[in-house]
Amino acid sequence: MAFTSLSAQTKKLKDSTPEQRAKMQTEWMKTKLALNTTQIQQVYALNLQYAQKNDPVIQSNEGKLAKFKKLKALQKEKSDALSQILDEGQYKKYQELEDQMVQKFKEKRK
């Protein structure tokens, strides 16, 4: 069952454009992190940049592990860039939310 939802999520990612993914991520971050107008613009630009970098990986036919490693490396780069945009409290909350998502993902895979 968990595998089905993971496959569905992967298909959903493949079927969405980088712009759609960036917009969704930005909306989520705006709500969760109370971003100001300037931050919203900067975060959207960063989300779009990384959605475009992630796209060839998502669309590729590589194995799940190879994709995961590449996406994880890109996510680390993005997190480092976000630390320059968000204030200390927002960045700490972002990291906590990211950790929670990773935990949920790991639980679904069991």
Side-chain angles (χ1 to χ4, degrees):
M1 184 165 148
F3 182 75
T4 310
S5 69
L6 186 60
S7 294
Q9 286 175 337
T10 304
K11 182 171 173 17
K12 198 172 169 183
L13 272 180
K14 275 191 169 185
D15 291 346
S16 63
T17 66
E19 291 76 15
Q20 288 169 322
R21 291 194 296 272
K23 191 172 171 37
M24 285 189 311
Q25 286 177 326
T26 305
E27 284 300 315
W28 179 82
M29 291 171 73
K30 182 172 95 175
T31 305
K32 297 285 186 185
L33 305 174
L35 302 179
N36 67 37
T37 310
T38 305
Q39 287 175 318
I40 291 168
Q41 291 169 344
Q42 292 172 325
V43 165
Y44 176 75
L46 187 70
N47 283 337
L48 182 58
Q49 178 187 353
Y50 279 90
Q52 288 167 337
K53 283 184 179 187
N54 290 341
D55 205 48
V57 179
I58 292 167
Q59 302 299 338
S60 79
N61 292 322
E62 289 185 81
K64 285 188 177 104
L65 187 61
K67 282 185 181 186
F68 176 77
K69 285 181 176 178
K70 287 180 180 175
L71 292 172
K72 189 173 179 183
L74 287 167
Q75 183 58 38
K76 167 107 179 66
E77 277 179 30
K78 182 179 163 183
S79 288
D80 291 345
L82 270 173
S83 70
Q84 305 299 308
I85 298 170
L86 304 176
D87 68 33
E88 198 175 320
Q90 288 171 319
Y91 187 67
K92 188 171 190 271
K93 184 163 185 178
Y94 170 77
Q95 289 180 307
E96 288 168 6
L97 292 166
E98 199 173 55
D99 289 345
Q100 286 171 12
M101 283 193 295
V102 168
Q103 287 306 317
K104 281 182 187 173
F105 179 73
K106 283 181 180 176
E107 287 168 20
K108 280 184 180 178
R109 289 179 57 202
K110 288 181 183 174

